Amino acid sequence: MLARFLRLTVILAGLVLPGCAGEGQAGTLANGDFATVEKDRPTGWSLSDVAASKGTVAVVEGALILQPNDLNTPSDTPLGLGQAIDATVLRGQRLTLSARLSGADGAVAVVGVAALDTAGQVERFVVLRAAPGDPQDQTTTDAEPLSESVKTLIVFVSAEGTTGTATIDDVTVGGLAATAAAVQGEAAVTVFALQADGTGRTIPGDILGTNVEWIRDGNGLWNKAQGQLDTDIIAMSAQAGIRMIRFPGGVWSDTYDWRDGIGPQSARPTKRHIPDQDETSRHAIGTPEIVSFAKQIGAQLMITVNAGHGTPEQAAAWAAHIRDTHGPAIAPVWEIGNELYMENDMSGGSMTPEAYAGKLRSFAAAIRAELPAARIAGIGLVNYGPYRFNAHADWNRIVLEQAGDVIDVFAVHNAYAPLVVEASPRRWAEVYRAMLAAPVTIAQNLSDTAALIDASVSQAKRGKIAIAVTEWGPSYSYDPKNPYFDHVKTMGSALFVARTLNVFMRDARVDSAQFFKLSDWLNMGWIGPVKGGGWRETPALLALGLYRDAPGATLLPLDRRDGPTFASSHLGFQPAVEAAPLVDAVAFRDPAGKITIIASNADLEHPREARFILAGGAADYKITAQSLSGPSAVAHRDTIHIDVPGVPFAAPGQFGDGDWFARASAKSITLDTGTAGWADGTLTVQLPAAGIMAVTMVSP
């Protein structure tokens, strides 16, 4: 999974403060264009001796050039410079940051600014990043104004990585007038127009998909005590309506040998997850187990073959084995590799787009020789804003031009959020707003991806290559010391699930999506362990289950006519969003005529009313409603993560009034009867704060 690469190596105290001179002119950044130089260093910027040992610093043609060396491994003092600014004149304004930055040959350019209060605590933090191959101008504006306690801005420029070049120029810092409120139209009701007898696309079942990894007994899917698949996980997965299972799991796919996962359990080997990692697992979950699991919950398989280190012949033999042993229908989709476009992919299989295009062609031919009807998925990613994990600016174009004719699906990982490096529980509401606004940018990226596909393939293939989001979901931090590490399990994360599923359903090119991941002993599973043993669904899986009747239904035209919006800050790898809908909804009609409307409320504090004005259809309906909600967006169902010896996990922190993250219990999140009424052709829904409601309408 790509989030494992999201550690931000810039630590302000180590990078900036030791060498910082006194604060400059109030609100003014000195020499942000690097136009003046003294002794080969840009004037006004401080460089500590420790940071200077991590590489070289130069100014070339008015741009800052940072070239890291082998010492620039993740630490508190990376190669970089900084300066301090008196921030008092910016109080009450929204913090803005812009720069031109690019990375090359393994280096990542980073520009950031932190606002410190009078006690030296970080109140605001924004950052810009440019992965290798992506020269770009970036700008971000915080959604919330600086408070009256802000005293100092710490501005830093740095390079991540141990090779290559980071280039930075035209750094500016300032303030904009604050908006009246984070939520615009505080008293407004959201109004939708619904065409009850309208037509839209048939919703694909594969949108309700998941990832299962082979490691750690399939993250609990194999119950060692019982010597079989875990019956509780089977029941929870079936109840959620999961229809597609991606296996053997993300990065582990590109080192996986399928032959280790067949035959008697007692004869299967124990192997390292990847060659340079010490952790090992026995191959308890292999092909027969994942096929059995899929059949028991009514799902099919997406097989991700080992394109990082494997061969086309190995993939073809796996396809033949599944065909002959389990039948070809169980595995209709074959994805060629995982995230091989990433710099230093953890599997060790990173490659150029030209090399991948060649592999894509050879793997596709080998698999189709055994399974002629197999749908082949090629991998890629269109970077956007600060969400930039494809290390090759031309990966998508080259792969699609050279091998687009052999694929049916383009697989992307563009929908993780909020991906913060934020560590202050005081800003939890902002972190959650950034996550809940992310579907706005995800939707645009999917549209951009479809346009790029069609611009890069032959006329015959245009419009015919589908998009699969083969990993997605709420994800906060992979640093166990970050207090947001375990927030995938909260009610706010369930809101993100609902709003992102809406995006997938509305996009006609998205025909498959697999959330990451089904179960986990640590922080990412939508089914999590509980104290004393066993498993429990998180709110994220309960939210997915509200959509279980969507596959095969007709998506109905739903026009949002009016309603309040909210703004979000640029946090971590999520860009700022000026106006995201506070209430979002989709509607669909099943073959029997039953209409389902699913609406979500991103207001973290207040209930919201939504009205659906129906045109067409019956004059009257029988209404039933289910409401998924809790006492706070940070509340959860008391799933845990296991302790790992030697790994310091963060304390939960104080997340707002009531501290519901620490106080949560199995009954904190409930699925109850909702409040909805039908009168005069209008459905009126009362949505709880940070809640989701599914309403069904049946003509009597």
Side-chain angles (χ1 to χ4, degrees):
M1 168 183 181
L2 55 81
R4 61 186 171 268
F5 295 99
L6 304 186
R7 173 178 167 81
L8 183 69
T9 61
V10 176
I11 306 296
L12 299 174
L15 176 63
V16 179
L17 297 179
C20 253
E23 295 170 5
Q25 183 178 346
T28 302
L29 179 71
N31 197 24
D33 59 1
F34 306 104
T36 60
V37 181
E38 183 177 347
K39 295 181 179 179
D40 297 325
R41 301 282 169 80
T43 57
W45 294 87
S46 297
L47 175 68
S48 72
D49 291 340
V50 174
S53 70
K54 305 293 182 69
T56 62
V57 177
V59 177
V60 179
E61 297 180 351
L64 179 68
I65 307 297
L66 302 175
Q67 293 182 305
N69 61 29
D70 290 343
L71 298 178
N72 198 48
T73 54
S75 71
D76 292 351
T77 51
L79 175 65
L81 306 90
Q83 62 177 278
I85 302 172
D86 179 357
T88 55
V89 298
L90 299 177
R91 290 172 177 171
Q93 299 183 54
R94 300 163 65 199
L95 185 62
T96 67
L97 172 67
S98 64
R100 180 165 181 78
L101 60 170
S102 64
D105 301 324
V108 176
V110 182
V111 178
V113 57
L116 276 59
D117 62 20
T118 53
Q121 299 297 309
V122 176
E123 179 184 287
R124 323 292 308 169
F125 182 81
V126 295
V127 66
L128 306 174
R129 302 175 81 254
D134 284 299
Q136 58 187 281
D137 293 305
Q138 289 192 39
T139 300
T140 186
T141 301
D142 236 7
E144 300 291 334
L146 298 174
S147 76
E148 292 301 312
S149 65
V150 166
K151 181 182 179 183
T152 306
L153 298 184
I154 303 296
V155 185
F156 62 88
V157 294
S158 72
E160 296 178 3
T162 57
T163 61
T165 300
T167 304
I168 300 168
D169 200 2
D170 298 329
V171 180
T172 62
V173 178
L176 291 178
T179 53
V183 174
Q184 304 297 317
E186 185 68 25
V189 172
T190 302
V191 179
F192 296 91
L194 173 62
Q195 189 67 36
D197 58 356
T199 58
R201 76 156 174 160
T202 299
I203 300 170
D206 295 350
I207 282 178
L208 301 185
T210 190
N211 278 260
V212 172
E213 300 171 316
W214 75 267
I215 65 170
R216 302 169 190 145
D217 295 321
N219 290 308
L221 179 57
W222 182 259
N223 188 315
K224 289 190 292 187
Q226 298 176 358
Q228 62 181 19
L229 296 173
D230 190 274
T231 54
D232 290 337
I233 293 180
I234 292 172
M236 294 172 192
S237 301
Q239 179 62 30
I242 292 171
R243 301 282 292 270
M244 177 65 78
I245 302 163
R246 182 176 181 244
F247 179 82
V251 68
W252 322 119
S253 301
D254 281 314
T255 60
Y256 183 75
D257 187 335
W258 69 272
R259 293 166 295 189
D260 293 329
I262 59 174
Q265 284 276 340
S266 60
R268 294 187 191 176
T270 295
K271 288 190 173 181
R272 291 182 177 183
H273 297 169
I274 52 178
D276 61 349
Q277 189 180 70
D278 290 337
E279 187 179 6
T280 62
S281 290
R282 192 177 70 84
H283 283 263
I285 291 291
T287 301
E289 289 76 24
I290 203 66
V291 167
S292 175
F293 175 57
K295 289 181 176 180
Q296 289 186 64
I297 68 172
Q300 293 176 304
L301 299 178
M302 171 185 284
I303 299 294
T304 304
V305 298
N306 180 355
H309 299 278
T311 65
E313 292 75 20
Q314 181 183 2
W318 196 2
H321 172 81
I322 289 178
R323 179 198 64 207
D324 297 340
T325 308
H326 305 287
I330 194 65
V333 185
W334 291 71
E335 183 185 30
I336 313 304
N338 180 49
E339 291 167 353
L340 300 170
Y341 46 77
M342 294 192 71
E343 194 77 24
N344 300 318
D345 179 67
M346 199 162 75
S347 74
S350 301
M351 62 185 65
T352 66
E354 292 85 356
Y356 178 74
K359 286 203 171 192
L360 182 52
R361 298 193 71 86
S362 59
F363 273 75
I367 292 168
R368 285 188 172 130
E370 306 297 339
L371 292 172
R375 300 185 73 217
I376 300 297
I379 61 171
L381 176 69
V382 176
N383 293 330
Y384 63 97
Y387 194 105
R388 317 191 73 80
F389 302 109
N390 189 337
H392 304 271
D394 54 359
W395 175 282
N396 305 295
R397 179 187 59 80
I398 290 172
V399 169
L400 289 163
E401 285 180 354
Q402 296 186 8
D405 59 311
V406 303
I407 67 171
D408 307 285
V409 180
F410 195 61
V412 302
H413 295 172
N414 74 327
Y416 283 116
L419 302 178
V420 294
V421 292
E422 174 63 44
S424 171
R426 293 188 302 172
R427 296 188 68 189
W428 75 267
E430 271 190 89
V431 169
Y432 273 56
R433 278 196 291 270
M435 174 177 61
L436 297 178
V440 172
T441 55
I442 293 167
Q444 181 60 54
N445 182 253
L446 289 169
S447 177
D448 294 343
T449 300
L452 183 144
I453 293 171
D454 291 343
S456 304
V457 297
S458 67
Q459 181 70 37
K461 292 289 286 189
R462 290 176 189 171
K464 297 181 179 179
I465 296 178
I467 296 173
V469 187
T470 56
E471 289 185 18
W472 71 278
S475 180
Y476 293 79
S477 174
Y478 259 56
D479 181 358
K481 299 187 294 297
N482 187 300
Y484 294 96
F485 176 78
D486 202 23
H487 276 233
V488 171
K489 64 189 181 184
T490 66
M491 184 61 214
S493 290
L495 279 174
F496 174 76
V497 168
R499 296 167 83 87
T500 306
L501 277 172
N502 293 353
V503 169
F504 297 158
M505 290 171 63
R506 289 189 288 249
D507 192 308
R509 293 292 282 272
V510 177
D511 75 348
S512 179
Q514 290 74 45
F515 69 80
F516 191 90
K517 53 189 169 178
L518 179 64
S519 56
D520 191 14
W521 299 107
L522 288 174
N523 65 320
M524 287 300 293
W526 291 20
I527 297 174
V530 296
K531 299 180 184 71
W535 300 89
R536 182 177 297 142
E537 311 100 315
T538 67
L541 194 70
L542 294 178
L544 187 87
L546 295 176
Y547 291 79
R548 59 174 294 124
D549 292 336
T554 298
L555 187 68
L556 295 177
L558 185 63
D559 177 29
R560 182 178 176 274
R561 291 183 174 176
D562 194 16
T565 62
F566 68 98
S568 68
S569 300
H570 172 152
L571 287 176
F573 292 76
Q574 292 303 317
V577 174
E578 286 294 325
L582 204 62
V583 174
D584 188 40
V586 292
F588 49 88
R589 184 184 62 243
D590 74 8
K594 181 181 73 175
I595 294 173
T596 300
I597 298 172
I598 304 178
S600 61
N601 174 20
D603 192 324
L604 304 179
E605 298 178 348
H606 305 103
R608 290 284 168 173
E609 181 176 302
R611 296 175 189 164
F612 298 85
I613 303 171
L614 270 69
D620 196 12
Y621 289 94
K622 178 182 178 181
I623 306 296
T624 59
Q626 282 188 304
S627 177
L628 182 66
S629 64
S632 168
V634 297
H636 56 89
R637 303 186 71 222
D638 202 27
T639 52
I640 63 171
H641 61 70
I642 62 170
D643 291 327
V644 179
V647 177
F649 289 96
Q654 296 287 329
F655 294 98
D657 295 339
D659 191 19
W660 285 104
F661 189 85
R663 292 176 52 195
S665 71
K667 297 181 180 179
S668 291
I669 307 299
T670 57
L671 188 59
D672 297 321
T673 301
T675 303
W678 169 258
D680 300 324
T682 299
L683 173 72
T684 301
V685 176
Q686 303 297 329
L687 295 167
I692 309 168
M693 191 175 296
V695 181
T696 60
M697 307 176 65
V698 179
S699 177

